[in-house]
Amino acid sequence: MSFFKELTKGIIKENPTFVIVLGMCPTLATTTSVKNAIGMGIAATFVLICSNIMISLIKNITPDKIRIPVYVVVIAAFVSVVDMAMAAYLPDLHKSLGLFIPLIVVNCIILGRAEAFANKNNVLNSMADGIGMGLGFTLSLSVVATIRELLGNGTWLDMRILPQSYNPMLIAILAPGAFFTLGFLMAAINMLKEKR
Amino acid sequence: MKFYLKLGFILLAFCVVATAILAYVNSVTKPRIDELKRVAAQEAMAKLIPNAEFSDVVIHLPEGASTPDSLVYYIATAKADSTKILGYILSAEKHGYSSNVKTMAAIDTEFKLINIKVIEQAETPGLGANCSSDSFAERFKGLLPEKLLVDKDGGEVKAMTGATITTRAVTNSIRETIAIIRKDIESRANTLPEVEA
């Protein structure tokens, strides 16, 4: 397994949202606008890289029987440290990303990758896995958010795309719109896969 | 038995280390975070009433009347002349559609609204969440507290499309808070005649 392969697999082949179907809560909740989606994606990527490295480092001193509670403690403590440090030393960044940090602690992608990858692989590959999965997550969030923001608000990244006369389809940015969009996207991806 | 005890102790060790790290980081960052919060609040106030200095007043509310037992508002005095009162800043809070909506409002000495700023909310994106925009604050400018009611309730605040509940929460919380501090300000004016009303 090469470093590069671990890095790229999360983007399409093992995309965490559309293929592994992990992290559905943030996918549904933060895709009301592209700005939120990117913010969530970046914050999750950062935590994912760091937690993968940490789990990979402690994998040899954790007894197998209690590994899940240990990972939960390690990840939650680590995320809280990042949250506090960011609030104190990078207040501007915290203003835009801080909202997502408590959501990340309970994001199953983090624990999912710790369990499925980082506790079996070395630090370098775990880091690559974290980067790839994070990018894949950011990408799929942005795709969902693009559709929802365009239909529901007529904008993309707060820029007006559709003319002012467009009557926004409000349901797209309300909760049901998230399920519709995700459902259609997954169906489309499955269709493409079967054709191959 | 011994095996499980050992596992328990290992987990305990992880938790102790994690707690110690958290406690240390918290003790280092807390003063900085508090200071940043204070500065941010000051900046928000300076935007509502420019060129002013703020001093806080605490009102103790009668018990049982409402949930919080005290309320803080700020008197804004001109930077150049500390006896000249420009207005007051208050923060109001009420539950909207899906979250607590916190608003900071500036009123002049006639209790007319100068400007408002929604500082905390998690309302429906695209609908109620628009209450943090400037165009929403615009609807409140220049209104007297008597007219602070949503148009559907017979007042002059135009409700946002599809978000009457959010608009109502902001409007009513500000009106109710103004009523409380108005009483306090007027009682002060009576006891201290030298303060300009």
Side-chain angles (χ1 to χ4, degrees):
Chain A
M1 279 291 203
S2 68
F3 180 82
F4 192 69
K5 209 169 147 203
E6 297 301 347
L7 193 74
T8 51
K9 68 163 196 255
I11 297 174
I12 293 174
K13 215 178 105 223
E14 285 182 37
N15 186 294
T17 317
F18 295 132
V19 182
I20 315 184
V21 200
L22 277 179
M24 283 298 110
C25 291
T27 308
L28 297 171
T30 63
T31 52
T32 51
S33 71
V34 178
K35 204 172 129 197
N36 277 352
I38 294 175
M40 179 69 192
I42 293 174
T45 306
F46 179 68
V47 173
L48 192 54
I49 297 169
C50 301
S51 81
N52 264 7
I53 293 175
M54 300 263 281
I55 299 299
S56 182
L57 283 174
I58 60 162
K59 67 174 185 279
N60 291 333
I61 56 164
T62 352
D64 206 38
K65 279 219 157 52
I66 52 163
R67 63 184 192 281
I68 302 276
V70 168
Y71 297 161
V72 172
V73 170
V74 169
I75 294 167
F78 176 73
V79 173
S80 309
V81 166
V82 171
D83 185 33
M84 285 189 278
M86 207 150 102
Y89 301 107
L90 299 164
D92 287 329
L93 191 66
H94 190 259
K95 237 187 198 162
S96 42
L97 295 186
L99 188 67
F100 304 109
I101 291 181
L103 288 172
I104 295 172
V105 185
V106 292
N107 189 334
C108 53
I109 294 181
I110 314 284
L111 191 61
R113 292 325 287 172
E115 171 67 11
F117 195 91
N119 73 344
K120 300 184 190 84
N121 290 280
N122 65 29
V123 176
L124 203 64
N125 280 349
S126 300
M127 192 178 84
D129 180 75
I131 298 172
M133 285 291 156
L135 287 179
F137 185 58
T138 311
L139 185 79
S140 35
L141 285 191
S142 308
V143 171
V144 177
T146 300
I147 296 172
R148 294 183 67 193
E149 195 184 338
L150 210 56
L151 288 179
N153 208 19
T155 55
W156 189 79
L157 246 179
D158 292 337
M159 287 180 297
R160 186 146 285 284
I161 303 288
L162 298 175
Q164 203 78 55
S165 58
Y166 169 74
N167 193 7
M169 198 170 103
L170 274 181
I171 197 165
I173 45 175
L174 296 180
F179 287 101
F180 290 148
T181 314
L182 196 64
F184 279 119
L185 279 173
M186 278 184 170
I189 287 170
N190 280 344
M191 206 174 77
L192 283 177
K193 262 197 192 153
E194 288 198 357
K195 259 190 186 166
R196 234 184 247 168
Chain B
M1 183 66 194
K2 227 177 154 188
F3 176 67
Y4 292 105
L5 270 179
K6 195 185 150 210
L7 286 184
F9 274 115
I10 294 174
L11 191 55
L12 179 72
F14 269 103
C15 292
V16 168
V17 173
T19 313
I21 293 171
L22 281 181
Y24 172 73
V25 175
N26 185 46
S27 70
V28 173
T29 54
K30 185 128 198 317
R32 267 191 80 104
I33 295 172
D34 287 347
E35 174 65 16
L36 284 168
K37 269 193 190 150
R38 206 185 55 78
V39 171
Q42 288 279 334
E43 275 172 8
M45 285 198 276
K47 256 189 203 144
L48 290 171
I49 303 183
N51 298 322
E53 301 228 19
F54 302 96
S55 49
D56 55 332
V57 182
V58 181
I59 313 175
H60 294 283
L61 301 174
E63 246 176 83
S66 52
T67 27
D69 54 359
S70 68
L71 192 142
V72 183
Y73 72 94
Y74 298 85
I75 302 177
T77 49
K79 256 184 192 153
D81 174 8
S82 63
T83 58
K84 190 168 172 258
I85 296 176
L86 296 172
Y88 307 92
I89 300 240
L90 54 102
S91 55
E93 194 177 345
K94 219 182 180 86
H95 195 80
Y97 184 69
S98 59
S99 66
N100 245 353
V101 184
K102 241 190 194 170
T103 317
M104 225 181 217
I107 49 174
D108 65 13
T109 48
E110 249 92 71
F111 305 103
K112 201 159 78 182
L113 274 174
I114 302 172
N115 204 347
I116 68 150
K117 175 119 191 87
V118 175
I119 43 175
E120 234 182 86
Q121 54 91 10
E123 300 287 286
T124 319
L127 297 170
N130 290 342
C131 66
S132 28
S133 71
D134 286 345
S135 67
F136 181 71
E138 208 59 47
R139 298 169 194 220
F140 289 85
K141 280 185 188 169
L143 289 184
L144 282 164
E146 299 82 60
K147 297 191 173 150
L148 260 183
L149 274 171
V150 178
D151 47 6
K152 282 184 189 162
D153 303 340
E156 289 200 353
V157 179
K158 206 174 150 283
M160 284 188 289
T161 319
T164 310
I165 296 172
T166 308
T167 317
R168 195 176 278 143
V170 174
T171 311
N172 291 352
S173 66
I174 296 176
R175 190 187 64 247
E176 284 160 18
T177 316
I178 291 181
I180 298 170
I181 73 165
R182 183 174 197 161
K183 244 193 241 160
D184 186 73
I185 291 166
E186 279 166 357
S187 71
R188 258 161 223 277
N190 291 339
T191 50
L192 301 163
E194 69 272 14
V195 175
E196 270 181 72

